[in-house]
Amino acid sequence: MSWQFTPLALPTVGAMIITVVLGGYTLWKIRTESATSLLKSFLLVNVCLVIWTFFSTLKLLHTNPAMKLFFYRLLYFGVAPLGSFALLFVLINTDREDEIRASVLAVLLLVPAVFLLVLFTNPYSLAFESTRVVERGGLVILRVDTGVAHVVLELVYNALVSALAVGLMLSEALRLGRSYLPQALLVTGGIAAPFVFVGLSFVAVPPFTSESINLIPTSAGVTSLALGVAIARYHFLNLPPIAYSTAMEASPDSVLVLDAEKRIIHANERGIELLEQLDISLGDIVTDGHPSLDVEADPEEVVRVDLDGPVYLSVRSQSLERQGYHVGWVVVLRDVTELHEHQQTIVDRNDKLRLLNEILRHDIRNDMMVVLGNARLAQERADDEVTIERLETIVRNSEHASELTDSVRVLMSTMLSDKSATESVRLGSVLTEEVNTLRAGDCSVNIDEPEALSEVQVVANDLLGAVFRNLLTNAVQHNHDESTEIEIAVTRDETDVCVRVSDNGPGIPDERKEDVFGRGEKGLESSGTGLGLYLIDTVVDSYGGDVWIEDNEPTGTTFVVRLRRARVE
């Protein structure tokens, strides 16, 4: 076997080594990570490049004319389907995989298959008209005069499908914006490289004027280098560009697309601006640029970044999967600085309200109890009518002040508490306790079927007693009859419990039944604090229930409190 060695073969050998390395890397990813359609199609492109450069090298180095022609034919197993496989890769990369059907694959591969058949049989000299061996600079060179089939079925066909692939890639880049453009240019440049080399050889641009060696196969090295840079810089094999469009390309928020290693692959316009302010670049690992931007953190977390001033961002991430494999994340960063400042203001105000609540519960209420206690003692010892009248006024207003502090305490506890902080409460126990307290006065209170309430549990908390206490007190205060009669009836279904508190008072006109729950509503000539019914409505609403008014027959008012039934484990 005769071989010839020349430094002129080094460019082709170098291109072959690059294609082998890139093909090996792709095969390793398939075996160690996932055999996705994107990787498989990319591997086919690399196999074509390896076949092309490998047999081009053998054709150049061998001196036997028959073997040179044999290697010439074999290298087209790489060249002929290269454009078709490049188009297939681009279709998958641009998320047009649904368009790849068996009929499409058959059409794409039919022309290369026909050309290879013609190349090996060469009927009517369609593939090549003649071959000859010449010697240039001490090298044995094979010259092939190509036929019409070579031009149409190989060169023109590959040019058309490659042009289609380039067009699809660039149109996707224009649609997605500047963050996708660099990798799209690398990929399209790699696809177009062989045709650029053909054009340079055709117009005899140096060094493509050499008669000793064909430099067109070295374009495979350029293709592999371009694709390799795209892989290393943008990890485009891990994440197709559709992830970017899925990530709300027109979003007013900053949107980043990360690969499985948390490297930033894409960003929308707002995202690019934010990255520039944070001194982070595409291709960086996001947590290296700013540790708080963790895509696996609590989705409700707000992180602080320092730009021109403190900026607060909510970080929300969505895992991306392709063919059952995790390939990355879409991360949405929303500027919530204004909301954060409002929330901080609310927190500060709540702290002050809690302090006021403590003052009401302890200091003011204790002082009022001291005033009330001393006024009652003085009442017992007073003997003149003017003093007794004055002391009655003090006692009455002290009781109202004490009642006010209790109502405000309950309201503030409701407003400051988490609405989700409810529990299962035995309704019968609460009603019985409040009714027994009221019965100590001059009124009649009757609970319909009290024994049936023993097992009824509702969604509430320790403020439920204040609801019924205020309802019962309201019924007494608004009743002008000599004796107050109150009936309590409870009905229930699978989801709710309704408590009806009916009295024999004067009733409430229809036009005022909605208004009486307003803040500060005292009713007609009421001596109450004006917070009772508002308190009832507020507390019941925090339980997910509601309250309304109905007429009682023959006279009076019925307050209906609907509560959710608690699930009993």
Side-chain angles (χ1 to χ4, degrees), residues 346-384:
I346 292 172
V347 169
D348 293 341
R349 288 178 179 174
N350 284 348
D351 289 340
K352 293 175 182 178
L353 284 174
R354 288 188 178 93
L355 176 60
L356 178 59
N357 193 22
E358 290 297 317
I359 293 173
L360 284 171
R361 291 178 60 185
H362 296 98
D363 299 2
I364 296 178
R365 194 172 191 281
N366 289 343
D367 287 347
M368 289 309 305
M369 295 307 295
V370 171
V371 171
L372 185 58
N374 281 281
R376 285 172 176 163
L377 286 174
Q379 234 180 347
E380 294 174 1
R381 298 183 181 182
D383 52 10
D384 82 76

Side-chain angles (χ1 to χ4, degrees), residues 169-199:
M169 205 74 177
L170 291 179
S171 65
E172 191 76 358
L174 294 174
R175 184 178 72 86
L176 297 180
R178 61 174 179 169
S179 63
Y180 180 60
L181 190 58
Q183 67 167 282
L185 289 176
L186 282 170
V187 175
T188 55
I191 294 173
F195 300 97
V196 173
F197 277 44
V198 168

Side-chain angles (χ1 to χ4, degrees), residues 415-457:
M415 290 186 291
L416 294 175
S417 66
D418 183 357
K419 286 193 175 184
S420 63
T422 55
E423 58 187 359
S424 178
V425 176
R426 290 186 180 274
L427 179 61
S429 300
V430 175
L431 279 175
T432 300
E433 181 179 351
E434 298 302 329
V435 166
N436 289 339
T437 301
L438 191 64
R439 280 173 176 165
D442 185 19
C443 65
S444 171
V445 183
N446 178 54
I447 301 179
D448 186 25
E449 300 182 9
E451 64 280 354
L453 298 178
S454 58
E455 299 302 323
V456 177
Q457 299 188 44

Side-chain angles (χ1 to χ4, degrees), residues 83 154-165 195:
E154 194 280 316
L155 186 59
V156 173
Y157 176 75
N158 264 332
L160 289 175
V161 293
S162 297
L164 179 58
F195 300 97

Side-chain angles (χ1 to χ4, degrees), residues 8 60 136-141 143 209-214:
L8 296 177
L60 175 64
R136 293 288 188 274
L139 291 177
V140 178
I141 307 297
R143 296 297 187 201
T209 55
S210 173
E211 295 185 355
S212 300
I213 185 172
N214 180 11

Side-chain angles (χ1 to χ4, degrees), residues 80 111-112 114-116 118 148-158:
V111 174
V114 170
F115 171 73
L116 289 173
V118 171
V148 64
H150 185 283
V151 174
V152 175
L153 298 180
E154 194 280 316
L155 186 59
V156 173
Y157 176 75
N158 264 332

